[in-house]
Amino acid sequence: MPTPSMEDYIEQIYLLIENKGYARVSDIADALSVHPSSVTKMVQKLDKDEYLVYEKYRGLVLTQKGKKIGKRLVDRHDLLEQFLKIIGVKEENIYQDVEGIEHHLSWNSIDRIGDLVQFFEEDPKRSEDLKQLQLKNEAE
């Protein structure tokens, strides 16, 4: 299982490839706000662990294992953003909050959050009831 740092790299590489068709060391460094040398070291480790194939000066591609984990990590991130929106977290806090919690939850917790998101989406009245409760609590 990848470490939280490895997950950040895999997730970002997956997103870059999905959006641009490729992921270069410089793109990854920019996206993660790290030095290119740090990216190169991590990419070499991810290559060794078979999440991607890296050829110096030629770029990288995710393996099937890397694609599968990358998609799951992106889905986890999106789900947590959706969850925080549903429960009324302010938009300006959502990204930072997701970044802070996504590596600290078990996949079982992620699945239960998914169930809760589905519960609210299946009946919009539930979301409205929650908003009314929050307004009441804030007024007190």
Side-chain angles (χ1 to χ4, degrees):
M1 196 65 191
T3 65
S5 180
M6 291 167 74
E7 286 183 349
D8 285 339
Y9 278 85
I10 294 168
E11 180 180 6
Q12 199 54 242
I13 292 166
Y14 181 88
L15 285 169
L16 285 166
I17 291 172
E18 285 292 303
N19 294 327
K20 294 175 77 172
Y22 60 89
R24 298 178 308 200
V25 167
S26 59
D27 298 324
I28 300 164
D30 288 344
L32 294 173
S33 300
V34 297
H35 293 288
S37 59
S38 299
V39 174
T40 300
K41 287 178 190 168
M42 180 59 81
V43 164
Q44 290 169 341
K45 178 166 180 35
L46 293 170
D47 183 17
K48 180 178 168 279
D49 291 349
E50 300 179 348
Y51 292 105
L52 55 81
V53 176
Y54 172 66
E55 293 181 36
K56 194 172 184 178
Y57 307 117
R58 302 215 49 204
L60 55 95
V61 289
L62 289 170
T63 61
Q64 279 306 112
K65 175 181 171 181
K67 286 179 191 173
K68 181 179 178 183
I69 294 212
K71 180 171 179 8
R72 190 165 190 206
L73 295 172
V74 168
D75 290 347
R76 173 182 71 185
H77 188 101
D78 292 345
L79 175 69
L80 290 172
E81 280 189 5
Q82 198 176 1
F83 172 67
L84 294 179
K85 284 177 187 171
I86 286 171
I87 63 170
V89 173
K90 292 179 183 172
E91 192 70 35
E92 63 265 19
N93 296 333
I94 289 177
Y95 180 80
Q96 201 63 33
D97 287 353
V98 169
E99 287 298 310
I101 64 173
E102 66 184 339
H103 300 296
H104 301 285
L105 296 173
S106 68
W107 287 104
N108 179 252
S109 293
I110 297 295
D111 290 341
R112 297 301 65 83
I113 289 170
D115 294 342
L116 191 58
V117 166
Q118 181 181 351
F119 176 78
F120 278 101
E121 287 180 337
E122 285 178 352
D123 184 353
K125 182 165 178 355
R126 294 172 182 151
S127 292
E128 188 54 40
D129 290 346
L130 177 60
K131 285 178 187 160
Q132 292 305 315
L133 176 66
Q134 289 168 337
L135 288 172
K136 178 184 163 222
N137 288 340
E138 287 174 5
E140 293 177 352

